[in-house]
Amino acid sequence: MRNFIRVSVAVLAASTFMAGAADAAELITNGGFEDLSTYAAPGSHGSYAYPEGAVAGWTFYGAGLINGTTATPWFGWAPPQGFSGAQYGFVQGQGWLVQSITADVSGALQLSWLEGSRPDIFGGGYKGDQSYEVWLDTSLLGTFSTQSGQDFTLRTLSGPNVTAGNSYNLIFHGLSASDNTAFLDDVSASVSASGAVPEPATWAMLITGFGLIGAVMRRRGLATA
């Protein structure tokens, strides 16, 4: 009986957790950089572009957009593997890639993205050894570095806390003084709610579950009386 009760409580707790986790909303617009063709973007060079300014969810300052299948001047002989869709963004030199996000609930901000780089195709002048920072407004969240020819790798960050209804600038800032470039793709942001109140459906599930446990315990008591 005790084992049954322990298992039932654990199942209910897990169900409540999953119900809350499933509600986390995606805050990033065009995180895969697919909503604008490189051929139509401002500053287009055909298969890559330097839009400069607000375009399709992002604001570009010395950053850009690249077609992941046709931009061979950027790939050399070995294009990076593991990106999502057909396009991705990049931060070159000391460029900035920015998006304003609005928290839907209060809690810890959860970030993830894919990071890759261009090869060293000309022996030092144009390569992928780029360091870049990730900021939320004026808070530095982390510093990352790519290596020339690096395939796309998943990066994640957790925190800081944000407040429901408030807007924040998510910033990727390049640190290289040269033409070094880091590729970014599949950028995602959501909030892990703190102290979340279960929804009505979750409350109903909890009440029903604990009612069943109570009924079993009462029967157990009568049977042993």
Side-chain angles (χ1 to χ4, degrees):
M1 176 57 64
R2 289 177 181 172
N3 287 338
F4 169 78
I5 293 172
R6 289 195 190 101
V7 171
S8 299
V9 171
V11 169
L12 287 170
S15 299
T16 303
F17 171 80
M18 289 188 293
D23 292 336
E26 176 57 61
L27 305 181
I28 294 290
T29 299
N30 190 24
F33 300 93
E34 301 293 325
D35 292 353
L36 178 69
S37 168
T38 49
Y39 297 95
S44 175
H45 295 266
S47 56
Y48 65 97
Y50 293 89
E52 290 301 313
V55 180
W58 293 96
T59 301
F60 297 80
Y61 301 104
L65 180 71
I66 190 167
N67 188 301
T69 58
T70 63
T72 52
W74 289 69
F75 297 155
W77 59 93
Q81 302 297 306
F83 60 91
S84 176
Q87 299 183 154
Y88 41 86
F90 62 83
V91 176
Q92 189 172 64
Q94 297 181 358
W96 302 73
L97 189 57
V98 183
Q99 183 163 151
S100 177
I101 60 176
T102 301
D104 56 334
V105 295
S106 296
L109 185 67
Q110 307 296 321
L111 297 173
S112 67
W113 66 96
L114 297 175
E115 166 207 275
S117 73
R118 66 194 300 185
D120 184 0
I121 56 177
F122 295 124
Y126 303 91
K127 55 185 179 180
D129 297 330
Q130 168 72 302
S131 293
Y132 64 95
E133 299 169 330
V134 182
W135 293 76
L136 191 70
D137 285 342
T138 58
S139 297
L140 177 62
L141 306 186
T143 302
F144 301 86
S145 297
T146 58
Q147 301 297 318
S148 292
Q150 173 187 316
D151 286 336
F152 280 86
T153 302
L154 178 65
R155 297 289 195 184
T156 60
L157 277 173
S158 180
N161 287 339
V162 294
T163 302
N166 286 2
S167 294
Y168 304 86
N169 286 316
L170 176 64
I171 304 165
F172 294 89
H173 175 219
L175 299 176
S176 174
S178 63
D179 197 28
N180 295 6
T181 307
F183 298 147
L184 304 171
D185 197 15
D186 204 20
V187 182
S188 177
S190 61
V191 179
S192 177
S194 56
V197 177
E199 294 184 352
T202 305
W203 275 120
M205 177 180 65
L206 286 169
I207 292 169
T208 300
F210 284 117
L212 289 172
I213 293 172
V216 171
M217 291 177 68
R218 284 194 296 274
R219 285 181 190 168
R220 176 70 173 174
L222 290 174
T224 58

